[in-house]
Amino acid sequence: ELWVSLEEHQDALELIMSKYRKQMLQLLEGRKREDAEPVLKAHQANSGEIESQIDRICEMGAVMRKAVQVDDEQFFKVQEKLAQLELENKELRELLLISKESFEVGREDLPD
């Protein structure tokens, strides 16, 4: 979760920096329209690529969250089954002990 959160924060920071760069490029464009045009185009292409990467990362985060949820559910099912088996084992041992005790009592009652 920390890793996903860190990635989300990095993505948000990248988006903020992208907007900052865009504003700076617009300022440069106002001063030197001819000189800033190639930079602006490169920035627009780069920001589109960054946005698609952010979308992919968010999708991967959602998949990872779902995987963790499924894994947790499976873990709880296994824990529940283990507890159930331990209880059954305990009850079977008690029945076996009772059976042994009654068998021994039955043997003592038999004449020699």
Side-chain angles (χ1 to χ4, degrees), residues 2 6 21 24 42 63 74 87 91 95 97 103:
L2 289 175
L6 177 62
R21 288 185 207 113
M24 291 303 293
V63 168
Q74 185 66 24
L87 180 62
E91 291 172 355
L95 288 173
L97 182 61
F103 181 72

Side-chain angles (χ1 to χ4, degrees), residues 8-24:
E8 289 174 355
H9 287 307
Q10 287 175 336
D11 295 339
L13 183 60
E14 185 63 38
L15 187 60
I16 291 168
M17 290 304 297
S18 173
K19 289 181 179 183
Y20 171 75
R21 288 185 207 113
K22 185 176 181 179
Q23 288 178 352
M24 291 303 293

Side-chain angles (χ1 to χ4, degrees), residues 2-112:
L2 289 175
W3 179 70
V4 171
S5 178
L6 177 62
E7 283 187 348
E8 289 174 355
H9 287 307
Q10 287 175 336
D11 295 339
L13 183 60
E14 185 63 38
L15 187 60
I16 291 168
M17 290 304 297
S18 173
K19 289 181 179 183
Y20 171 75
R21 288 185 207 113
K22 185 176 181 179
Q23 288 178 352
M24 291 303 293
L25 286 174
Q26 287 174 352
L27 285 173
L28 287 174
E29 183 180 335
R31 293 181 187 161
K32 300 176 183 178
R33 185 144 182 90
E34 303 93 31
D35 294 340
E37 191 67 31
V39 176
L40 183 60
K41 287 182 180 178
H43 172 69
Q44 288 173 341
N46 189 23
S47 66
E49 182 181 328
I50 290 171
E51 286 179 20
S52 69
Q53 288 177 349
I54 289 171
D55 291 340
R56 284 184 34 214
I57 289 170
C58 289
E59 289 174 13
M60 289 170 47
V63 168
M64 291 173 74
R65 282 187 198 103
K66 181 66 176 172
V68 168
Q69 180 184 7
V70 168
D71 191 42
D72 285 346
E73 289 172 2
Q74 185 66 24
F75 174 76
F76 291 130
K77 286 180 184 177
V78 168
Q79 289 293 95
E80 183 179 333
K81 186 68 174 177
L82 181 62
Q84 179 184 359
L85 290 173
E86 287 175 350
L87 180 62
E88 288 177 10
N89 187 23
K90 180 182 175 185
E91 291 172 355
L92 288 172
R93 287 183 185 273
E94 289 174 1
L95 288 173
L96 180 62
L97 182 61
I98 292 170
S99 176
K100 283 181 181 179
E101 289 174 355
S102 72
F103 181 72
E104 289 175 4
V105 168
R107 288 181 74 196
E108 290 175 1
D109 291 344
L110 288 177
D112 290 331

